[in-house]
Amino acid sequence: MLRIKSGHSVRYYTDATSEAKENYYTGAVSQGEPPGRWYGAGAEQLGLSGLVRTQDMIGVYERFLDPRDTRFADPSQWDEVSTLGHTGRNYLSEEQIYAAALDAEPGADAQRRDELRVEAGQRARHNVSYLDATFSVPKSVSVAHAAFEYQEISARRAGDPDSAEAWGVLRKAVEDAIWAGNNATLDYLSTHAGYSRIGHHGGAGGQWIDGHDFTVASFFQHDSRDHDPHLHIHNTILNRVLCADGVWRTLDSRALHAFRGAAAAVGERVTEAHLAQSLGMLSATRPDGKSRELVGVDQLLCGLLSSRNRAIGPRAAELIAAYEARHGRAATALERDRLSSQAQLVTRRNKSGGETIEARLDRVEAQVGDELGTGFAQVAHDVLAMARAERAAPAAWSLREVLETALAAVQDKQSKWSPPDLTREISNALPDNLGITDGAEIGWLLDELTEQGLALAIALDAAKPGDVAVAQQFRLANGRSAFEAPGRARYATPEQLHTERLLVAAATCRDARATRTAAARVFVEGLAESGIELGVDQAAVITGVLTSGARIESLIGPAGSGKSFVLGVLARAWADPRAWPQPSPGGPDGPAAVAGRVFGLAASQRATGVLAAEGLSAANTTAWLATQARLADGRTRDGDHSWVLGTGDLVVIDESSMADTPA
């Protein structure tokens, strides 16, 4: 997994380490994380290598100073040191904003001063000094590493240095695999997303320029905010890059985000390949398809040591339930994602130190023993037992099947998608064991398959006039136009566009069931006489749907406007022969037609219940589609035939935007 966020202060990373802790795993170190490492061609150009010193990082990241300047080593001369391009805008600091607020309210009491302090922190703006690309491994890898590390520490405690050394070799092999995957991720990002922007991007003259030499300080960390085993590497990518024209500029962060999923796929593949090669530890796709986990690590144990997920899940469910109750409808996928992100923030703890490596592992060992009756020794044994088994040969795979699966998956998630989105799905569609360990080779394979997949899709973005015949001076190093945003072209499959066009045509075609306007008005007036009052807009909906003859109608209204009530009235009208004095499948002048039935489909059981309460024959959309598939194949179950569609029937799809286009 790879997450990218911007930052301005480096203290979170430097405060978690101790630069003097050279023998991190020999017992000389009691707590803290290992020092950071410099990485990237940009770091090499600046003379930054080896371990990260706090002073150097502050100078480079917070003041954008050039470390090659002879005065850089002396902080007292930093005001005279040359910089890596511009140093950003001079925003007011939090202290300055707070002082101004106190001047405006000299009589503020202690409580008000606290409020002003919080407001100052919220109003303070900062220059983005880096992009933190955090590379995380699956929980099973973290658990296996913790088991090896615990065995190493236990052997040292027992006075068995040989066993401790052997376990240390296994533990370090896991770390080396993670570093290999992490660096492959950074290499892929720098190659594919290393760009800056020049020119005026508010109009048509904006360009991109190559800037691939990243400067990165990478920090390996071992636990989560809840102090569960969670191996991850914070890669702080300096927000300054030397561009192809010799000028230092800020990175195009949107390009980094665009290629995030593809870069993560490369890194994950490399980590898995190194684990398989060095330790014989194989990975397999989880049943839910969301990630690949190490074979031999109990998933119950992984769940137990995922406190963050256990805290976020219930809180997210609460927020989603409250949102749906407030708005009277199911939350969309985007809304659910944002509410889950909110749950992640409200359950987030400050990452505190103070716990030694030994204490952390002892605590986790006790927790595992209490709740599962097992321990790290059993985990280490299980993993090694699987590793000693016959190593699987690289799996064979079909190019056609991989591309078909990937295209279907990416199209299912988004109506339009980018090439990196497809790259991520291609990696998911490939077999678990490719037999390739080199990051560049894995990246090349995924890129090549992506190009072949794009040849089967349709580009949605209109090409600019100069994109094809652009002069060489306006081309990037990869040959693409400098006027084209890297990684942000949009595509769709031909099947997706065909389906969308069918839906649009059905909305304009007028050969479906319809009645005369006068008859619809008589029905609406009859409702009023029976005590059912409709608003003007609700009456217009009923009349419009009954008389349009369109194969598809779209009803849009805000929460609380009575859409469910209107659907109930519409169902009553649709099924009532008296509402159709001169109905016809082909228009009001055609032959008479019997009353039709109304089916209501919804994405959730709660919404299904709402439709059923309004008198519709309601069902969950997924279940209804499965029923239709059985009817088509002749594999029916009891009750299926009650859902057979007939001529003139109406299907109401509640919150249709939540359903994917093929459904």
Side-chain angles (χ1 to χ4, degrees):
M1 178 184 295
L2 184 68
R3 296 184 182 276
I4 299 177
K5 65 178 182 179
S6 60
H8 63 276
S9 174
V10 301
R11 290 294 185 179
Y12 171 82
Y13 314 99
T14 58
D15 288 352
T17 69
S18 174
E19 297 166 9
K21 297 173 183 175
E22 298 176 357
N23 299 316
Y24 184 70
Y25 289 104
T26 64
V29 178
S30 61
Q31 62 189 51
E33 298 285 10
R37 304 180 186 179
W38 290 110
Y39 187 78
E44 293 180 9
Q45 293 172 0
L46 296 175
L48 299 170
S49 61
L51 301 182
V52 176
R53 296 175 61 239
T54 299
Q55 178 177 302
D56 294 346
M57 194 174 182
I58 291 175
V60 173
Y61 278 72
E62 296 190 1
R63 301 191 61 169
F64 304 110
L65 302 179
D66 190 337
R68 297 168 296 186
D69 192 306
T70 56
R71 296 161 293 186
F72 179 79
D74 183 2
S76 66
Q77 300 186 57
W78 276 3
D79 289 339
E80 308 300 325
V81 175
S82 56
T83 62
L84 303 174
H86 68 85
T87 57
R89 298 181 179 179
N90 293 320
Y91 294 119
L92 292 176
S93 68
E94 180 179 337
E95 290 298 329
Q96 290 173 319
I97 296 174
Y98 178 60
L102 287 180
D103 290 341
E105 298 185 37
D109 58 18
Q111 180 178 352
R112 179 55 180 162
R113 288 197 297 272
D114 289 341
E115 294 174 352
L116 293 176
R117 169 68 72 180
V118 173
E119 292 174 1
Q122 294 173 340
R123 292 172 54 195
R125 300 180 64 186
H126 305 276
N127 292 296
V128 176
S129 64
Y130 61 85
L131 285 305
D132 181 349
T134 304
F135 180 73
S136 304
V137 296
K139 178 63 71 174
S140 57
V141 178
S142 296
V143 170
H145 176 273
F148 293 156
E149 187 175 25
Y150 183 78
Q151 295 297 93
E152 177 186 2
I153 292 173
S154 297
R156 188 179 300 115
R157 287 171 174 169
D160 187 353
D162 292 338
S163 294
E165 182 179 359
W167 286 112
V169 170
L170 297 176
R171 183 260 307 155
K172 188 175 184 303
V174 176
E175 294 169 8
D176 290 343
I178 296 171
W179 276 110
N182 178 80
N183 294 345
T185 297
L186 292 175
D187 291 341
Y188 190 91
L189 275 180
S190 64
T191 299
H192 293 74
Y195 299 98
S196 184
R197 301 194 305 173
I198 58 177
H200 181 58
H201 280 256
Q207 302 176 42
W208 280 262
I209 187 169
D210 290 288
H212 304 286
D213 296 339
F214 285 4
T215 299
V216 187
S218 300
F219 296 85
F220 195 108
Q221 296 189 354
H222 292 70
D223 60 348
S224 67
R225 291 180 179 272
D226 290 296
H227 299 295
D228 292 323
H230 176 59
L231 299 178
H232 58 287
I233 300 178
H234 289 281
N235 300 286
T236 56
I237 304 172
L238 180 66
N239 193 28
R240 293 293 185 275
V241 64
L242 186 62
C243 296
D245 60 357
V247 178
W248 287 88
R249 295 186 178 88
T250 59
L251 285 165
D252 176 20
S253 62
R254 291 186 178 182
L256 290 172
H257 286 282
F259 283 96
R260 179 185 61 83
V266 172
E268 292 161 9
R269 287 279 179 182
V270 171
T271 296
E272 294 166 10
H274 276 259
L275 288 172
Q277 183 182 60
S278 62
L279 298 175
M281 299 164 61
L282 299 180
S283 299
T285 303
R286 283 180 2 191
D288 60 12
K290 292 183 178 180
S291 69
R292 288 184 292 273
E293 299 281 0
L294 286 181
V295 177
V297 179
D298 188 352
Q299 288 303 301
L300 286 176
L301 177 58
C302 292
L304 173 64
L305 300 181
S306 300
S307 301
R308 284 286 289 146
N309 289 341
R310 296 204 311 274
I312 293 170
R315 183 57 177 151
E318 291 177 8
L319 292 175
I320 292 171
Y323 181 90
E324 292 179 346
R326 185 167 62 253
H327 291 274
R329 62 173 178 80
T332 65
L334 177 60
E335 290 164 346
R336 294 175 70 89
D337 181 68
R338 288 178 174 173
L339 290 169
S340 297
S341 297
Q342 182 180 344
Q344 190 171 17
L345 289 175
V346 298
T347 59
R348 188 177 190 179
R349 301 179 183 177
N350 290 325
K351 191 171 184 179
S352 58
E355 189 177 34
T356 66
I357 301 169
E358 292 86 347
R360 182 180 75 240
L361 291 174
D362 286 341
R363 173 179 53 76
V364 176
E365 168 76 2
Q367 179 186 5
V368 172
D370 291 342
E371 300 198 30
L372 297 181
T374 182
F376 280 140
Q378 184 64 47
V379 173
H381 176 271
D382 292 344
V383 171
L384 292 179
M386 294 297 301
R388 293 190 189 101
E390 182 178 353
R391 299 193 179 190
W397 50 278
S398 163
L399 172 63
R400 176 180 177 180
E401 291 180 359
V402 166
L403 293 182
E404 287 180 349
T405 301
L407 285 167
V410 72
Q411 192 65 75
D412 183 56
K413 293 178 180 177
Q414 303 177 72
S415 60
K416 54 184 180 180
W417 40 266
S418 68
D421 294 332
L422 178 59
T423 303
R424 169 81 260 188
E425 294 301 334
I426 286 174
S427 177
N428 293 343
L430 285 167
D432 297 323
N433 183 12
L434 294 176
I436 306 174
T437 59
D438 182 69
E441 188 175 350
I442 290 176
W444 177 87
L445 172 64
L446 294 180
D447 288 346
E448 180 64 23
L449 294 179
T450 299
E451 288 299 319
Q452 295 188 45
L454 293 177
L456 303 176
I458 297 176
L460 302 180
D461 300 315
K464 295 180 180 179
D467 282 352
V468 177
V470 67
Q472 186 61 38
Q473 69 185 93
F474 296 117
R475 291 194 178 275
L476 300 171
N478 60 10
R480 297 184 181 276
S481 168
F483 299 98
E484 177 185 343
R488 277 161 277 180
R490 290 293 180 264
Y491 291 80
T493 61
E495 293 79 9
Q496 172 77 10
L497 294 181
H498 176 68
T499 302
E500 290 182 358
R501 287 165 181 162
L502 280 177
L503 295 175
V504 171
T508 57
C509 182
R510 302 291 173 176
D511 62 348
R513 192 172 188 237
T515 188
R516 294 184 182 276
T517 302
R521 288 176 178 170
V522 168
F523 174 78
V524 172
E525 292 169 358
L527 291 175
E529 294 174 358
S530 62
I532 300 176
E533 294 292 339
L534 296 177
V536 175
D537 54 346
Q538 294 174 332
V541 167
I542 300 298
T543 303
V545 173
L546 292 176
T547 62
S548 73
R551 292 180 176 271
I552 290 181
E553 289 281 9
S554 183
L555 170 58
I556 302 172
S561 58
K563 293 190 297 296
S564 298
F565 169 71
V566 169
L567 293 178
V569 175
L570 181 61
R572 176 177 173 178
W574 201 267
D576 188 349
R578 293 171 297 178
W580 301 86
Q582 292 181 331
S584 164
D589 298 323
V594 298
R597 296 180 301 167
V598 180
F599 299 92
L601 306 182
S604 67
Q605 287 303 119
R606 178 181 175 276
T608 301
V610 172
L611 293 179
E614 293 295 342
L616 284 73
S617 298
N620 175 278
T621 304
T622 302
W624 187 84
L625 288 171
T627 299
Q628 298 305 312
R630 290 194 300 271
L631 289 169
D633 296 340
R635 300 176 289 104
T636 58
R637 301 175 183 174
D638 291 341
D640 282 355
H641 288 286
S642 64
W643 297 95
V644 174
L645 286 177
T647 301
D649 288 348
L650 176 66
V651 180
V652 175
I653 306 173
D654 185 50
E655 299 293 343
S656 59
S657 61
M658 295 182 62
D660 59 76
T661 300

